[in-house]
Amino acid sequence: MKQLPDRPARRAVHPFLSLWSPTAATMRLWALAAVAVNAGITVTGAVVRVTGSGLGCPTWPRCTPDSFVPAAHDGISPLNTAIEFGNRLLTFLVLVVAVACVIAARRLPERRSGLVRLAWIQPFGVAVQAFWGGVVVHSALNPVTVNVHFLFSVGMMAAACLLYARAGEGDAPPEPLVHPRIRALGSVLVGAVLTLIVAGMVVTGTGPHSGDELASRFPFDIETVARIHADAAYLVVGLTFALTFALHVTGAPGPARRAALTLLAVELAQGVVGYVQYFLAVPAFLVGLHVLGSTLVWICTLRVVFTLRSRGPADAPAAPAAGASTPDAVRA
């Protein structure tokens, strides 16, 4: 007779059981799903832009003035409409995963208030993103509103990464695993990567892929902003190399060293894509690949920072530091 998998294993693979009777492992799987879908919809948003489909659905919340679903509309390609509408539909997938994170966090056998608060960021963020998507459409893809939309996605990915990290550890006060100066270098790296992302957004808002012929552009010189973006990339790679070197020479834990090496590899690959797309006059496919690379750089950067400290195993009881009053979701 074939032996059935034990209850924890069945729970890990059955979506309903993983929500109704979650464990720390299944909670972490839902958080990982949140990271994936937020990164995915960021990349598909770039696909909308590089295919000129940004106004494929010219109104919001309807797709066309008379319909919530794609319908023939003068001057708009059915393909562009389908691409933009498909990206809107992905919002519901992100929302489903977001709600699943909240349910799983609330139904954990040991209720962790910090984890629940982090989980609630996901559905709240989806609502904010949906509202701002309407602002983007009604502003005819103004580059400022488009870039704010992307920044919201960056924040959503960060919240999902934090949820993933916190789901796999306990609620003890953060304990450094490396020298304080190395942790400080990690924090500087996060700021540098954010600067790089913002510089890339300015390049995008100045470059040729606006999402629609009606969209406005930043009045900057594309060569100048591209050089600033490249300088920021050099800074990020340099900081990552310094962090990787420091972790290795100080005998830092294996996960931290591996995470830093992974980040460095992703950054170098991203740099190759960036230079190739520049010398090939920014082809649409490579732009989309570059956006994928930027999401991976951001996720890997956060992963490195989370490996530089420990908060004990997931089943360890919370032991706040004396006099501490900051919520554990913030003291990550």
Side-chain angles (χ1 to χ4, degrees):
M1 181 181 293
K2 184 178 179 181
Q3 185 177 4
L4 292 174
D6 59 16
R7 185 177 298 275
R10 285 157 47 202
R11 187 181 301 164
V13 299
H14 195 291
F16 179 76
L17 287 177
S18 69
L19 285 177
W20 197 250
S21 301
T23 64
T26 56
M27 176 70 240
R28 208 171 193 215
L29 286 176
W30 281 113
L32 182 61
V35 175
V37 294
N38 277 290
I41 199 169
T42 302
V43 175
T44 59
V47 172
V48 170
R49 177 167 52 80
V50 299
T51 57
S53 306
L55 294 178
C57 287
T59 62
W60 187 94
R62 290 182 172 87
C63 181
T64 63
D66 302 317
S67 175
F68 282 96
V69 297
H73 198 70
D74 292 341
I76 299 179
S77 163
L79 178 60
N80 291 147
T81 299
I83 293 174
E84 164 62 4
F85 185 72
N87 188 62
R88 291 188 183 190
L89 287 180
L90 284 178
T91 302
F92 293 99
L93 174 61
V94 180
L95 180 60
V96 167
V97 174
V99 172
C101 286
V102 174
I103 295 173
R106 288 179 59 85
R107 291 195 59 83
L108 280 171
E110 297 292 333
R111 175 69 70 87
R112 300 172 58 188
S113 59
L115 210 60
V116 173
R117 286 193 293 270
L118 281 173
W120 271 111
I121 293 176
Q122 294 303 307
F124 177 76
V126 172
V128 172
Q129 280 282 60
F131 168 78
W132 196 259
V135 174
V136 171
V137 171
H138 288 294
S139 69
L141 308 184
N142 182 284
V144 173
T145 63
V146 172
N147 285 345
V148 171
H149 202 37
F150 188 85
L151 277 179
F152 283 148
S153 294
V154 169
M156 288 284 288
M157 283 187 283
C161 287
L162 180 55
L163 180 64
Y164 175 76
R166 294 292 292 112
E169 59 189 9
D171 293 324
E175 178 184 350
L177 298 177
V178 297
H179 191 280
R181 291 182 180 177
I182 296 180
R183 285 200 73 190
L185 180 58
S187 298
V188 172
L189 176 60
V190 172
V193 171
L194 275 174
T195 301
L196 175 63
I197 290 174
V198 172
M201 288 162 45
V202 174
V203 174
T204 297
T206 307
H209 297 289
S210 61
D212 192 270
E213 295 178 354
L214 298 178
S216 59
R217 303 275 77 197
F218 286 134
F220 304 131
D221 176 63
I222 187 63
E223 295 284 343
T224 300
V225 294
R227 288 195 185 97
I228 293 173
H229 181 53
D231 290 341
Y234 289 136
L235 175 63
V236 166
V237 172
L239 289 171
T240 304
F241 179 81
L243 179 62
T244 303
F245 180 77
L247 291 172
H248 277 263
V249 298
T250 58
R257 289 184 278 116
R258 289 190 294 271
L261 279 173
T262 300
L263 172 61
L264 184 60
V266 171
E267 289 172 353
L268 293 177
Q270 174 77 332
V272 170
V273 173
Y275 272 106
V276 171
Q277 72 169 2
Y278 178 80
F279 288 113
L280 294 182
V282 202
F285 172 75
L286 289 182
V287 173
L289 190 61
H290 200 57
V291 172
L292 172 62
S294 70
T295 63
L296 293 178
V297 167
W298 179 232
I299 291 169
C300 290
T301 300
L302 296 174
R303 175 60 182 159
V304 170
V305 174
F306 294 144
T307 61
L308 302 182
R309 89 288 184 272
S310 172
R311 302 193 66 169
D315 56 353
S325 60
T326 305
D328 59 356
V330 177
R331 295 182 290 105

